[in-house]
Amino acid sequence: MAYALLAVTLLVGIVFAASATGKLRGAAAFRGFEESARSMGVPARLSRLVAVAVAVGECAAVVLLALGPGGAPGFVLTLLLLAAFTTGIVRTLRSGTTASCACFGASTAPIGRRRVVRNTVLLALAAFGLAAALAGTPAPT
């Protein structure tokens, strides 16, 4: 169980680190993420605030997964972020709006069901990680 928790912590941490890096690698990438948020229905006046909050949240999740006791605080944050991301994607898909996904930085790829599946898998992994961390699973020796 300890190795499974380690693997899940690393996988979720790497995904969130890649996502944050993609958004923060330059001004153009960050603007692309802001535009993506607007195309998904975030009001223009709030798009910068939402973009900053998402990037900060992703960075905080990575740090908490790396430093937190058993990773529980990091898994809680990743669960909250993934639930919000998935809700936004599903809402966008249901509205019929054509939006690009800047999940990992600037992208022109349209949002699709694969993003929902990916996030659902990540939600399940984060839930497993949280349960294992709360159960007091020791770190591998």
Side-chain angles (χ1 to χ4, degrees):
M1 183 72 133
Y3 288 107
L5 176 58
L6 177 62
V8 167
T9 302
L10 288 172
L11 178 64
V12 173
I14 288 168
V15 168
F16 273 79
S19 181
T21 301
K23 292 174 183 77
L24 298 173
R25 73 174 181 260
F30 191 77
R31 278 192 306 275
F33 178 62
E34 281 184 81
E35 290 171 21
S36 176
R38 281 192 297 275
S39 71
M40 291 179 68
V42 174
R45 69 182 191 289
L46 297 177
S47 64
R48 175 154 301 232
L49 177 64
V50 168
V52 169
V54 167
V56 168
E58 289 175 340
C59 290
V62 172
V63 170
L64 289 171
L65 285 168
L67 302 177
F75 284 121
V76 169
L77 182 54
T78 59
L79 283 166
L80 292 171
L81 288 168
L82 285 165
F85 299 159
T86 306
T87 300
I89 292 168
V90 168
R91 195 179 121 232
T92 301
L93 287 172
R94 285 187 178 164
S95 74
T97 303
T98 304
S100 64
C101 179
C103 306
F104 292 90
S107 173
T108 58
I111 290 175
R113 290 185 181 111
R114 288 190 310 178
R115 308 266 193 262
V116 176
V117 171
R118 177 200 60 207
N119 284 5
T120 302
V121 169
L122 288 170
L123 277 162
L125 290 171
F128 167 83
L130 179 60
L134 292 175
T137 302
T141 55

PDB file of all heavy atoms in Angstrom, residues 48-68:
ATOM      1  N   ARG A  48      -8.807  36.925 -15.072  1.00  0.00           N
ATOM      2  CA  ARG A  48      -7.432  37.002 -14.543  1.00  0.00           C
ATOM      3  C   ARG A  48      -7.385  36.452 -13.127  1.00  0.00           C
ATOM      4  O   ARG A  48      -6.485  35.685 -12.786  1.00  0.00           O
ATOM      5  CB  ARG A  48      -6.904  38.423 -14.556  1.00  0.00           C
ATOM      6  CG  ARG A  48      -5.512  38.478 -13.881  1.00  0.00           C
ATOM      7  CD  ARG A  48      -4.681  39.581 -14.349  1.00  0.00           C
ATOM      8  NE  ARG A  48      -4.477  39.494 -15.762  1.00  0.00           N
ATOM      9  CZ  ARG A  48      -3.274  39.542 -16.336  1.00  0.00           C
ATOM     10  NH1 ARG A  48      -2.202  39.642 -15.605  1.00  0.00           N
ATOM     11  NH2 ARG A  48      -3.149  39.503 -17.637  1.00  0.00           N
ATOM     12  N   LEU A  49      -8.354  36.818 -12.302  1.00  0.00           N
ATOM     13  CA  LEU A  49      -8.409  36.322 -10.928  1.00  0.00           C
ATOM     14  C   LEU A  49      -8.538  34.797 -10.907  1.00  0.00           C
ATOM     15  O   LEU A  49      -7.839  34.112 -10.155  1.00  0.00           O
ATOM     16  CB  LEU A  49      -9.570  36.961 -10.169  1.00  0.00           C
ATOM     17  CG  LEU A  49      -9.798  36.489  -8.739  1.00  0.00           C
ATOM     18  CD1 LEU A  49      -8.613  36.845  -7.867  1.00  0.00           C
ATOM     19  CD2 LEU A  49     -11.078  37.098  -8.193  1.00  0.00           C
ATOM     20  N   VAL A  50      -9.400  34.260 -11.746  1.00  0.00           N
ATOM     21  CA  VAL A  50      -9.576  32.805 -11.822  1.00  0.00           C
ATOM     22  C   VAL A  50      -8.288  32.139 -12.301  1.00  0.00           C
ATOM     23  O   VAL A  50      -7.856  31.126 -11.740  1.00  0.00           O
ATOM     24  CB  VAL A  50     -10.774  32.443 -12.730  1.00  0.00           C
ATOM     25  CG1 VAL A  50     -10.789  30.958 -13.060  1.00  0.00           C
ATOM     26  CG2 VAL A  50     -12.075  32.865 -12.075  1.00  0.00           C
ATOM     27  N   ALA A  51      -7.660  32.704 -13.317  1.00  0.00           N
ATOM     28  CA  ALA A  51      -6.420  32.133 -13.840  1.00  0.00           C
ATOM     29  C   ALA A  51      -5.321  32.123 -12.775  1.00  0.00           C
ATOM     30  O   ALA A  51      -4.614  31.128 -12.611  1.00  0.00           O
ATOM     31  CB  ALA A  51      -5.968  32.908 -15.079  1.00  0.00           C
ATOM     32  N   VAL A  52      -5.186  33.218 -12.050  1.00  0.00           N
ATOM     33  CA  VAL A  52      -4.184  33.278 -10.983  1.00  0.00           C
ATOM     34  C   VAL A  52      -4.518  32.274  -9.882  1.00  0.00           C
ATOM     35  O   VAL A  52      -3.645  31.545  -9.400  1.00  0.00           O
ATOM     36  CB  VAL A  52      -4.072  34.715 -10.410  1.00  0.00           C
ATOM     37  CG1 VAL A  52      -3.252  34.744  -9.129  1.00  0.00           C
ATOM     38  CG2 VAL A  52      -3.470  35.656 -11.453  1.00  0.00           C
ATOM     39  N   ALA A  53      -5.785  32.213  -9.486  1.00  0.00           N
ATOM     40  CA  ALA A  53      -6.198  31.283  -8.432  1.00  0.00           C
ATOM     41  C   ALA A  53      -5.925  29.833  -8.832  1.00  0.00           C
ATOM     42  O   ALA A  53      -5.456  29.037  -8.013  1.00  0.00           O
ATOM     43  CB  ALA A  53      -7.674  31.481  -8.104  1.00  0.00           C
ATOM     44  N   VAL A  54      -6.205  29.494 -10.079  1.00  0.00           N
ATOM     45  CA  VAL A  54      -5.955  28.123 -10.545  1.00  0.00           C
ATOM     46  C   VAL A  54      -4.458  27.823 -10.518  1.00  0.00           C
ATOM     47  O   VAL A  54      -4.031  26.781 -10.013  1.00  0.00           O
ATOM     48  CB  VAL A  54      -6.544  27.904 -11.954  1.00  0.00           C
ATOM     49  CG1 VAL A  54      -6.021  26.616 -12.575  1.00  0.00           C
ATOM     50  CG2 VAL A  54      -8.055  27.886 -11.896  1.00  0.00           C
ATOM     51  N   ALA A  55      -3.645  28.714 -11.046  1.00  0.00           N
ATOM     52  CA  ALA A  55      -2.199  28.486 -11.082  1.00  0.00           C
ATOM     53  C   ALA A  55      -1.624  28.381  -9.663  1.00  0.00           C
ATOM     54  O   ALA A  55      -0.813  27.493  -9.379  1.00  0.00           O
ATOM     55  CB  ALA A  55      -1.507  29.603 -11.862  1.00  0.00           C
ATOM     56  N   VAL A  56      -2.044  29.266  -8.775  1.00  0.00           N
ATOM     57  CA  VAL A  56      -1.578  29.217  -7.384  1.00  0.00           C
ATOM     58  C   VAL A  56      -2.054  27.921  -6.721  1.00  0.00           C
ATOM     59  O   VAL A  56      -1.290  27.260  -6.009  1.00  0.00           O
ATOM     60  CB  VAL A  56      -2.056  30.458  -6.590  1.00  0.00           C
ATOM     61  CG1 VAL A  56      -1.843  30.287  -5.097  1.00  0.00           C
ATOM     62  CG2 VAL A  56      -1.340  31.705  -7.093  1.00  0.00           C
ATOM     63  N   GLY A  57      -3.300  27.546  -6.966  1.00  0.00           N
ATOM     64  CA  GLY A  57      -3.831  26.310  -6.400  1.00  0.00           C
ATOM     65  C   GLY A  57      -3.060  25.089  -6.874  1.00  0.00           C
ATOM     66  O   GLY A  57      -2.764  24.186  -6.088  1.00  0.00           O
ATOM     67  N   GLU A  58      -2.742  25.050  -8.158  1.00  0.00           N
ATOM     68  CA  GLU A  58      -1.977  23.918  -8.687  1.00  0.00           C
ATOM     69  C   GLU A  58      -0.582  23.866  -8.075  1.00  0.00           C
ATOM     70  O   GLU A  58      -0.108  22.785  -7.697  1.00  0.00           O
ATOM     71  CB  GLU A  58      -1.897  24.005 -10.209  1.00  0.00           C
ATOM     72  CG  GLU A  58      -3.216  23.717 -10.888  1.00  0.00           C
ATOM     73  CD  GLU A  58      -3.198  23.909 -12.383  1.00  0.00           C
ATOM     74  OE1 GLU A  58      -2.311  24.623 -12.909  1.00  0.00           O
ATOM     75  OE2 GLU A  58      -4.080  23.325 -13.038  1.00  0.00           O
ATOM     76  N   CYS A  59       0.066  25.014  -7.955  1.00  0.00           N
ATOM     77  CA  CYS A  59       1.399  25.045  -7.335  1.00  0.00           C
ATOM     78  C   CYS A  59       1.320  24.620  -5.861  1.00  0.00           C
ATOM     79  O   CYS A  59       2.159  23.849  -5.385  1.00  0.00           O
ATOM     80  CB  CYS A  59       2.003  26.447  -7.439  1.00  0.00           C
ATOM     81  SG  CYS A  59       2.477  26.923  -9.112  1.00  0.00           S
ATOM     82  N   ALA A  60       0.315  25.113  -5.159  1.00  0.00           N
ATOM     83  CA  ALA A  60       0.142  24.744  -3.751  1.00  0.00           C
ATOM     84  C   ALA A  60      -0.105  23.247  -3.607  1.00  0.00           C
ATOM     85  O   ALA A  60       0.416  22.608  -2.684  1.00  0.00           O
ATOM     86  CB  ALA A  60      -1.004  25.543  -3.135  1.00  0.00           C
ATOM     87  N   ALA A  61      -0.880  22.669  -4.508  1.00  0.00           N
ATOM     88  CA  ALA A  61      -1.151  21.235  -4.453  1.00  0.00           C
ATOM     89  C   ALA A  61       0.137  20.436  -4.590  1.00  0.00           C
ATOM     90  O   ALA A  61       0.358  19.464  -3.852  1.00  0.00           O
ATOM     91  CB  ALA A  61      -2.152  20.840  -5.539  1.00  0.00           C
ATOM     92  N   VAL A  62       1.002  20.842  -5.501  1.00  0.00           N
ATOM     93  CA  VAL A  62       2.277  20.151  -5.700  1.00  0.00           C
ATOM     94  C   VAL A  62       3.118  20.226  -4.429  1.00  0.00           C
ATOM     95  O   VAL A  62       3.666  19.216  -3.964  1.00  0.00           O
ATOM     96  CB  VAL A  62       3.047  20.736  -6.904  1.00  0.00           C
ATOM     97  CG1 VAL A  62       4.451  20.162  -6.994  1.00  0.00           C
ATOM     98  CG2 VAL A  62       2.280  20.482  -8.190  1.00  0.00           C
ATOM     99  N   VAL A  63       3.206  21.411  -3.851  1.00  0.00           N
ATOM    100  CA  VAL A  63       3.998  21.581  -2.628  1.00  0.00           C
ATOM    101  C   VAL A  63       3.405  20.754  -1.491  1.00  0.00           C
ATOM    102  O   VAL A  63       4.123  20.064  -0.763  1.00  0.00           O
ATOM    103  CB  VAL A  63       4.087  23.080  -2.240  1.00  0.00           C
ATOM    104  CG1 VAL A  63       4.696  23.256  -0.859  1.00  0.00           C
ATOM    105  CG2 VAL A  63       4.891  23.840  -3.291  1.00  0.00           C
ATOM    106  N   LEU A  64       2.085  20.805  -1.330  1.00  0.00           N
ATOM    107  CA  LEU A  64       1.444  20.048  -0.249  1.00  0.00           C
ATOM    108  C   LEU A  64       1.597  18.541  -0.445  1.00  0.00           C
ATOM    109  O   LEU A  64       1.766  17.805   0.539  1.00  0.00           O
ATOM    110  CB  LEU A  64      -0.034  20.414  -0.148  1.00  0.00           C
ATOM    111  CG  LEU A  64      -0.328  21.805   0.402  1.00  0.00           C
ATOM    112  CD1 LEU A  64      -1.809  22.135   0.258  1.00  0.00           C
ATOM    113  CD2 LEU A  64       0.123  21.922   1.853  1.00  0.00           C
ATOM    114  N   LEU A  65       1.537  18.073  -1.676  1.00  0.00           N
ATOM    115  CA  LEU A  65       1.748  16.649  -1.928  1.00  0.00           C
ATOM    116  C   LEU A  65       3.170  16.245  -1.568  1.00  0.00           C
ATOM    117  O   LEU A  65       3.403  15.161  -1.034  1.00  0.00           O
ATOM    118  CB  LEU A  65       1.458  16.295  -3.390  1.00  0.00           C
ATOM    119  CG  LEU A  65      -0.009  16.248  -3.778  1.00  0.00           C
ATOM    120  CD1 LEU A  65      -0.157  16.171  -5.301  1.00  0.00           C
ATOM    121  CD2 LEU A  65      -0.720  15.071  -3.109  1.00  0.00           C
ATOM    122  N   ALA A  66       4.119  17.124  -1.838  1.00  0.00           N
ATOM    123  CA  ALA A  66       5.526  16.817  -1.571  1.00  0.00           C
ATOM    124  C   ALA A  66       5.879  16.927  -0.098  1.00  0.00           C
ATOM    125  O   ALA A  66       6.675  16.144   0.417  1.00  0.00           O
ATOM    126  CB  ALA A  66       6.421  17.745  -2.387  1.00  0.00           C
ATOM    127  N   LEU A  67       5.278  17.884   0.593  1.00  0.00           N
ATOM    128  CA  LEU A  67       5.689  18.168   1.966  1.00  0.00           C
ATOM    129  C   LEU A  67       4.697  17.756   3.044  1.00  0.00           C
ATOM    130  O   LEU A  67       5.074  17.619   4.203  1.00  0.00           O
ATOM    131  CB  LEU A  67       5.963  19.671   2.125  1.00  0.00           C
ATOM    132  CG  LEU A  67       7.023  20.265   1.211  1.00  0.00           C
ATOM    133  CD1 LEU A  67       7.121  21.766   1.425  1.00  0.00           C
ATOM    134  CD2 LEU A  67       8.370  19.599   1.430  1.00  0.00           C
ATOM    135  N   GLY A  68       3.447  17.601   2.655  1.00  0.00           N
ATOM    136  CA  GLY A  68       2.417  17.329   3.652  1.00  0.00           C
ATOM    137  C   GLY A  68       2.578  15.975   4.312  1.00  0.00           C
ATOM    138  O   GLY A  68       3.156  15.059   3.736  1.00  0.00           O
TER     139      GLY A  68
END
